[in-house]
Amino acid sequence: QTILCLPRSFEYSQKNAVLVPVAALGVGGMLVYWLRSRHTIKTIEMGDGWWGSGERPLKGKEDESIRPFKIETSDKEIEDLHRRLEQARYTPPLEGAAFHYGFNSSYLRKVVAYWRNQFDWRKQVEVLNKYPHFQTTIEGIDIHFIHVKPSYVPHGRAVQPLLMVHGWPGSFYEFYKIIPLLTEPAGHSLNEGDVVFEVICPSIPGYGFSEAPHQKGFDAIATARIFHKLMNRLGFKEYYLQGGDWGSHITASMARMLPQSVKGLHLNLIFISRQSLRRMISVMLGAYVPWLVGLTREDVQRMYPFIQKNIYELLRESGYLHIQATKPDTAGCGLNDSPVGLAAYILEKFSTWTDKSLLHKDDGGLESKYSLDELLTNVMIYWVTSSIVSSMRFYKENFSKDPGLTASARVGVYVPTGIAAFPQELVHTPRAWAKETFKNIVTYSYMPRGGHFAAFEEPKLLAQDIMHFVRKVEQL
Amino acid sequence: EFCSSLAGIMLLEVFLVLGTVIIYFLLSKKKEETLPFKEGWWGKGQKPDTEEDTTVWPFKVETTEEELSDLFRRLDQARFTEPLEDSCFRYGTNSVYLRKVVSYWKNQFNWKKQVEVLNKYPQFKTKIQGIDIHFVHVKPPRLPEGQSAKPLLMVHGWPGSFYEFYKIIPLLTDPASHGLSDEHIFEVICPSIPGYGFSEAPHKKGFNSVSAASVFYELMLRLGFNEFYAQGGDWGWLICTNLAQIAPNHMKGLHLNLASVTNMGFIHLLSILLGRYLPGLFGFQDEDVKRMFPFLKKGLYRILLESGYAHIQATKPDTVGCGLNDSPVGLAAYILEKFSTWTDLKFHNLDDGGLEKKFSLDDLLTNIMIYWVSGCIVSSMRFYKENLQKGIGTQKHERLTVQVPTGIASFPNEVMHTPQAWAKKKYTNIVSFRFMPRGGHFAALEEPQLLAEDILQFVGKVEKEQLWRKK
């Protein structure tokens, strides 16, 4: 009997002998995979920097005080501006050109007449000062920001800190209409009453009232680091971020740099720099079988005809980017000396980037979405701070290296992300493409109307989307 | 029998002739297409019914106290932005150096004296296709017995002007006094492209290089020249090329110091990829390889780095030119940057952009003043949009070839090098292609002697064998 039992027990042990190692391998493999997948959440290195003039002082700690700041003007400044406006030299537009050759000088004359005779800079300075401004020195340069707290916080409600970053040719002023919607939503009949923010809008170094870097190499990564330091200095450990244009690139870099500090990232523009073969195939197929490549009908409507919208129109609209990314000091020189030239250059973007069809209008349709007071206040920020050249250098610093190769492009964004896709934005990025970089998209909304300057043009729509996103994140 | 064989021979002859005609027609039809003359009317409003006034009247550049004091006031109130530490000319025109230029401009540069310099050559205006065309017309001071002056049309580019030719004109109208052979003597005509300098700017959309070539063709005919030579670089290259395509029977020879090829094909791509290793296969000479490769660095990246201005001017000229027409300092910065980089790309590592190595501040500022006093910067930029807005390589004339005898002077510091192997696909009758020892984009201003010598030897070749008759 024992002899008969032996083969059976041998079979059993054979099975065990095979099963156990296999199981061990399986479990072990899964363990290794899990451990490694946790570590694939790479971050961008924070690094360090010095942007003041001359050598970095070896001794002494940086002055970390936060100083209140008020924008001021003087008679001299206003008289100098008026004199330049009066002596402006114009070139008559070609017959029937509308805005196809750039800013139409016949309309520009009207804008300048308003600027000289009706626009009241002193009054606008008071408008700008209605929110508290501050300055603080980080990495050798003075960083300007506004910090708006809600005036009334219901009992037990948490106030979410929100950092909002502007772009070019914008400024912190773009957020002036959306701020009250975020700090006092109830007061503006936004029924998302359970989310309230305190808003911090800094000026990117080299823009507006933030000092311009004196050293080469100041890019979005450096800006991201400085803004993290700013929030830290203000006492925030975790916060939300919102951005469009450069603000989108900067806040996304912030999310890649210090994900543990970023509760959520909300963007109204996506920078996807990596073109690949798969992407090209997806584009070609997307025209015929969008569902196969993850594109929705709305995506197709916004992206196609692809060559027309994404190549021709982009080429037509990116001349400024090309010259600013290569010769900023040349491009900005005349603009810092001629307020009329500066206005033409900046306001052209507020026309075309708000709605591409405005090119066909003699007045660029500017006053259909914005008031001249608002537009000129933004231009004045560039004028009185003489920041146009340093604002343009940001393009060179960021595009100098091949964008596809920079470290940030390879690192994914894992923080909860909300995307508001506006129909008249320069480029439409479908969710299917965005999720290759943004691994944790919590909300993706097709906005009904609006263009590039979302906060300026459609503050209510944007505020609603931000709140909708934050509420979802808070519930997670 | 005799009749039938005769008939047979005649039939054969007819067939042969017919056959030859058909073959000739088939083979030559593709290449011998000429570019049609472009009619146009560029004046303000509606074209009037009356006949165009064809008088040619003398013109003198003038200035006023008011013009000067306005300029000085603007120079005084200029606002500069400090350059980044250690950036030289890599971010564009360095404002520290610009301040020095502005100081010279205000305190030493004498515009009244420069106006006299400009007026030393006879200038004229005439109305063509609705706009006033300005030109310089210099005849030789003396002609040896039995010789006649050869008409030579010289066309400038951007950001240049007719003034670029002021140093080379005497070498061509009076070569003997400048140590050159006087076998060929020229009378030189330098017009200003409409929208540049003292030529009126077109008021209608669509004025491109073919329009300019048509206008200059009319000009030469109006001046009584039935046969002439043409020389050009920058836009002058394209306008003269178009002129050779419109009126090949009137152009004895075409001389270029820039010969871009805009119609790139598969062969070009292949030659870029393999040309460094198999130069002989693609017809590249050693000097070609030296100037073109490594291609990414010397071709693609260089073009990307240096073409921002062309991109914005080809899309939004009225925007970018606006501030430059209002700020002379901005205008100077924008124009001077080209005189630095396009003379030698390495100049962007110098604090002063190497500008005064090859040019005098007086010459540079005189050219800038032409843009300033005529207020033409915006219209000069529109030319880019009119020519490039549909993209490079898309226009009809870019696909047509040139059969006129062509001479090419290839300067080493030109932004991008075009080898003869590529040029001859477009310029099918290259009589002379020479590598110049030094010099950049603004050849006539920077190396007038070298350019004049090349023009003379080219014309010598054409005249000796009467090549224009052999087309």
Side-chain angles (χ1 to χ4, degrees):
Chain A
Q1 241 186 345
T2 39
I3 303 168
L4 281 167
C5 284
L6 272 170
R8 228 184 286 136
S9 64
F10 184 67
E11 259 187 349
Y12 256 127
S13 55
Q14 209 176 29
K15 273 201 195 127
N16 285 350
V18 173
L19 272 174
V20 168
V22 166
L25 261 169
V27 170
M30 273 164 49
L31 197 71
V32 168
Y33 179 74
W34 178 71
L35 279 171
R36 288 184 89 222
S37 70
R38 288 186 67 204
H39 283 286
T40 50
I41 298 177
K42 281 195 289 235
T43 57
I44 310 175
E45 259 199 52
M46 265 196 102
D48 201 4
W50 168 259
W51 311 103
S53 42
E55 287 279 329
R56 182 180 197 163
L58 295 163
K59 286 196 236 177
K61 212 168 165 291
E62 183 156 69
D63 169 19
E64 295 190 4
S65 66
I66 297 170
R67 312 172 284 278
F69 174 79
K70 254 189 160 29
I71 298 171
E72 284 166 354
T73 184
S74 63
D75 283 338
K76 191 169 158 221
E77 186 171 79
I78 296 175
E79 275 161 20
D80 172 81
L81 171 71
H82 285 175
R83 198 175 55 241
R84 291 173 195 257
L85 295 178
E86 283 158 20
Q87 72 181 23
R89 301 185 348 159
Y90 302 89
T91 305
L94 288 176
E95 293 171 18
F99 261 60
H100 292 289
Y101 283 70
F103 204 100
N104 187 302
S105 65
S106 302
Y107 177 61
L108 184 63
R109 277 181 199 269
K110 295 194 189 128
V111 171
V112 172
Y114 179 88
W115 198 356
R116 171 66 184 83
N117 302 318
Q118 274 117 302
F119 179 77
D120 186 348
W121 178 232
R122 283 192 190 280
K123 182 169 139 269
Q124 289 307 115
V125 166
E126 277 174 46
V127 167
L128 287 174
N129 282 329
K130 78 179 179 198
Y131 293 133
H133 296 251
F134 304 90
Q135 272 189 338
T136 184
T137 311
I138 304 180
E139 292 185 16
I141 42 176
D142 290 338
I143 310 299
H144 158 264
F145 64 98
I146 57 174
H147 185 177
V148 188
K149 297 185 193 179
S151 53
Y152 164 72
V153 184
H155 184 70
R157 191 76 53 81
V159 177
Q160 307 292 347
L162 173 63
L163 178 81
M164 302 184 85
V165 186
H166 68 88
W168 187 93
S171 60
F172 64 94
Y173 178 63
E174 282 180 84
F175 299 117
Y176 269 47
K177 282 184 286 196
I178 199 177
I179 287 172
L181 306 182
L182 299 166
T183 53
E184 339 255 328
H188 293 86
S189 57
L190 281 167
N191 55 8
E192 286 77 6
D194 53 340
V195 181
V196 175
F197 299 94
E198 65 177 297
V199 179
I200 299 102
C201 302
S203 293
I204 300 170
Y207 289 68
F209 301 99
S210 278
E211 190 178 345
H214 301 257
Q215 310 293 338
K216 294 178 286 199
F218 188 83
D219 60 2
I221 308 283
T223 317
R225 184 180 60 241
I226 284 182
F227 287 170
H228 271 307
K229 289 187 180 175
L230 173 67
M231 293 304 267
N232 190 42
R233 198 173 283 187
L234 290 172
F236 300 115
K237 292 282 175 291
E238 284 188 316
Y239 31 89
Y240 284 93
L241 304 175
Q242 203 288 327
D245 199 86
W246 279 128
S248 157
H249 189 39
I250 293 168
T251 50
S253 301
M254 288 176 78
R256 291 177 172 110
M257 195 181 267
L258 229 54
Q260 58 270 37
S261 292
V262 181
K263 290 180 96 174
L265 172 68
H266 185 277
L267 306 170
N268 50 295
L269 173 74
I270 308 272
F271 273 65
I272 301 263
S273 53
R274 260 196 313 180
Q275 302 304 317
S276 62
L277 185 65
R278 223 178 65 222
R279 180 68 53 77
M280 278 196 273
I281 294 174
S282 159
V283 166
M284 288 191 278
L285 289 175
Y288 308 103
V289 281
W291 45 268
L292 189 64
V293 286
L295 297 181
T296 66
R297 194 174 299 146
E298 184 68 31
D299 285 331
V300 173
Q301 207 197 16
R302 291 187 184 195
M303 285 165 61
Y304 290 89
F306 193 80
I307 306 271
Q308 166 77 17
K309 289 197 179 173
N310 288 274
I311 296 179
Y312 278 163
E313 284 178 4
L314 215 54
L315 274 177
R316 189 187 69 204
E317 297 307 324
S318 55
Y320 81 99
L321 192 150
H322 194 165
I323 199 175
Q324 287 169 207
T326 50
K327 314 279 182 187
D329 284 31
T330 298
C333 181
L335 304 182
N336 198 41
D337 198 33
S338 161
V340 172
L342 181 68
Y345 201 92
I346 290 179
L347 295 180
E348 184 219 280
K349 301 310 176 199
F350 279 85
S351 162
T352 317
W353 295 357
T354 293
D355 187 334
K356 290 184 197 126
S357 66
L358 295 178
L359 275 179
H360 308 299
K361 293 186 168 227
D362 281 331
D363 64 352
L366 270 169
E367 291 172 77
S368 57
K369 287 282 199 150
Y370 312 105
S371 74
L372 276 185
D373 275 345
E374 296 171 332
L375 293 169
L376 290 171
T377 300
N378 182 58
V379 174
M380 283 298 279
I381 290 172
Y382 280 90
W383 177 255
V384 300
T385 55
S386 274
S387 56
I388 187 67
V389 171
S390 46
S391 75
M392 291 180 168
R393 285 178 188 153
F394 202 58
Y395 282 79
K396 185 172 181 353
E397 304 295 15
N398 281 303
F399 285 109
S400 271
K401 307 154 203 107
D402 179 9
L405 292 173
T406 50
S408 63
R410 276 178 270 129
V411 176
V413 176
Y414 292 87
V415 309
T417 306
I419 297 171
F422 285 84
Q424 285 297 328
E425 186 55 88
L426 289 162
V427 239
H428 173 71
T429 306
R431 184 175 188 153
W433 295 6
K435 68 180 192 205
E436 285 173 34
T437 309
F438 298 92
K439 314 285 188 188
N440 189 358
I441 298 179
V442 166
T443 66
Y444 183 99
S445 326
Y446 293 107
M447 308 306 278
R449 57 184 181 276
H452 184 80
F453 301 99
F456 208 42
E457 188 196 349
E458 296 286 349
K460 193 160 182 188
L461 284 181
L462 184 66
Q464 281 170 331
D465 197 67
I466 294 171
M467 290 176 160
H468 164 57
F469 162 69
V470 171
R471 211 177 324 112
K472 267 204 159 171
V473 174
E474 290 294 314
Q475 283 163 4
L476 287 171
Chain B
E1 256 187 311
F2 180 75
C3 279
S4 65
S5 62
L6 197 65
I9 292 168
M10 279 173 73
L11 212 61
L12 191 65
E13 278 178 349
V14 169
F15 268 113
L16 268 170
V17 170
L18 221 73
T20 318
V21 167
I22 290 172
I23 291 169
Y24 175 87
F25 191 65
L26 282 173
L27 280 179
S28 62
K29 187 170 197 245
K30 269 187 216 157
K31 289 193 184 163
E32 296 286 319
E33 242 190 286
T34 50
L35 190 62
F37 175 86
K38 189 174 170 192
E39 288 286 347
W41 201 79
W42 312 102
K44 236 190 236 184
Q46 281 266 359
K47 180 178 179 176
D49 290 322
T50 53
E51 275 284 317
E52 184 155 74
D53 170 19
T54 57
T55 53
V56 176
W57 65 95
F59 171 77
K60 261 189 160 17
V61 181
E62 281 166 356
T63 184
T64 61
E65 283 306 324
E66 203 198 312
E67 186 173 77
L68 280 169
S69 56
D70 171 82
L71 173 71
F72 289 158
R73 197 174 56 240
R74 292 174 194 254
L75 294 180
D76 278 336
Q77 73 184 20
R79 304 191 337 164
F80 298 89
T81 306
E82 289 314 301
L84 290 175
E85 288 180 18
D86 209 30
S87 55
C88 300
F89 261 61
R90 283 187 290 271
Y91 283 68
T93 303
N94 185 299
S95 66
V96 169
Y97 176 66
L98 187 64
R99 276 183 204 267
K100 294 193 192 132
V101 171
V102 171
S103 163
Y104 179 89
W105 199 352
K106 174 124 196 291
N107 302 315
Q108 275 119 301
F109 179 74
N110 187 342
W111 178 230
K112 286 192 185 149
K113 179 167 141 268
Q114 289 306 116
V115 165
E116 280 172 45
V117 169
L118 285 174
N119 285 330
K120 79 177 176 200
Y121 291 134
Q123 295 166 68
F124 306 88
K125 277 195 183 180
T126 185
K127 203 186 264 298
I128 300 179
Q129 293 188 11
I131 42 176
D132 291 341
I133 309 299
H134 159 265
F135 63 99
V136 175
H137 186 178
V138 188
K139 297 188 185 169
R142 79 196 115 261
L143 275 174
E145 194 63 43
Q147 218 180 352
S148 63
K150 298 180 176 64
L152 171 63
L153 175 77
M154 300 187 86
V155 187
H156 67 90
W158 186 96
S161 61
F162 66 94
Y163 182 62
E164 284 179 82
F165 299 115
Y166 270 48
K167 289 196 164 61
I168 200 177
I169 286 173
L171 305 183
L172 298 164
T173 54
D174 192 13
S177 305
H178 295 90
L180 296 165
S181 147
D182 65 350
E183 201 189 333
H184 304 285
I185 301 182
F186 300 94
E187 64 178 299
V188 179
I189 299 100
C190 302
S192 294
I193 301 171
Y196 288 68
F198 304 107
S199 278
E200 190 178 346
H203 298 259
K204 308 266 189 288
K205 292 183 281 192
F207 189 88
N208 65 1
S209 63
V210 182
S211 314
S214 302
V215 165
F216 290 165
Y217 177 45
E218 262 198 64
L219 174 67
M220 293 305 267
L221 290 178
R222 190 174 291 184
L223 293 175
F225 300 121
N226 207 28
E227 287 186 323
F228 48 85
Y229 286 90
Q231 201 287 330
D234 198 86
W235 282 129
W237 143 69
L238 186 58
I239 294 171
C240 290
T241 296
N242 287 158
L243 188 51
Q245 292 168 323
I246 291 172
N249 297 321
H250 294 263
M251 205 186 275
K252 292 171 99 178
L254 171 68
H255 186 277
L256 307 168
N257 51 293
L258 176 76
S260 279
V261 166
T262 50
N263 211 14
M264 293 282 221
F266 180 66
I267 299 281
H268 291 107
L269 199 61
L270 211 61
S271 67
I272 290 172
L273 290 170
L274 302 173
R276 198 177 186 181
Y277 313 104
L278 302 165
L281 187 64
F282 298 100
F284 289 162
Q285 301 179 51
D286 285 339
E287 185 67 22
D288 288 327
V289 175
K290 186 172 146 209
R291 291 185 186 185
M292 282 171 69
F293 296 98
F295 193 79
L296 268 184
K297 173 163 168 241
K298 293 197 183 171
L300 190 63
Y301 282 167
R302 189 171 285 179
I303 293 282
L304 276 177
L305 278 169
E306 296 305 324
S307 57
Y309 81 100
H311 190 168
I312 197 173
Q313 287 168 208
T315 50
K316 314 281 180 188
D318 283 33
T319 298
V320 61
C322 179
L324 304 183
N325 199 41
D326 200 31
S327 160
V329 172
L331 180 68
Y334 202 92
I335 292 179
L336 287 175
E337 187 218 281
K338 301 310 175 197
F339 278 85
S340 163
T341 316
W342 296 355
T343 296
D344 189 338
L345 277 158
K346 293 195 279 298
F347 281 173
H348 72 179
N349 292 319
L350 299 174
D351 275 329
D352 65 349
L355 275 162
E356 294 171 73
K357 280 191 202 285
K358 288 293 199 126
F359 309 108
S360 71
L361 273 185
D362 275 345
D363 282 337
L364 293 170
L365 288 170
T366 301
N367 182 58
I368 290 168
M369 281 298 279
I370 290 172
Y371 279 87
W372 178 254
V373 301
S374 59
C376 70
I377 186 67
V378 171
S379 49
S380 75
M381 291 179 166
R382 285 178 187 152
F383 202 57
Y384 280 78
K385 184 172 192 318
E386 304 296 15
N387 283 307
L388 297 171
Q389 65 187 328
K390 292 195 184 63
I392 298 176
T394 55
Q395 307 236 44
K396 181 185 175 192
H397 66 80
E398 289 175 283
R399 277 172 264 134
L400 295 177
T401 55
V402 173
Q403 286 87 46
V404 167
T406 307
I408 298 175
S410 181
F411 285 85
N413 286 320
E414 190 58 84
V415 178
M416 204 178 122
H417 174 70
T418 306
Q420 186 173 1
W422 290 2
K424 69 180 189 201
K425 292 208 164 47
K426 170 135 185 144
Y427 301 93
T428 57
N429 192 357
I430 297 180
V431 164
S432 147
F433 184 104
R434 301 208 309 177
F435 293 110
M436 298 285 113
R438 57 184 179 276
H441 184 82
F442 300 98
L445 189 62
E446 188 196 347
E447 295 286 351
Q449 185 93 5
L450 285 181
L451 185 64
E453 280 168 0
D454 198 69
I455 296 170
L456 288 169
Q457 68 84 31
F458 161 68
V459 170
K461 278 193 176 149
V462 172
E463 291 285 329
K464 187 160 155 219
E465 296 167 48
Q466 305 209 337
L467 288 174
W468 67 93
R469 297 195 203 284
K470 291 181 177 172
K471 283 178 295 210

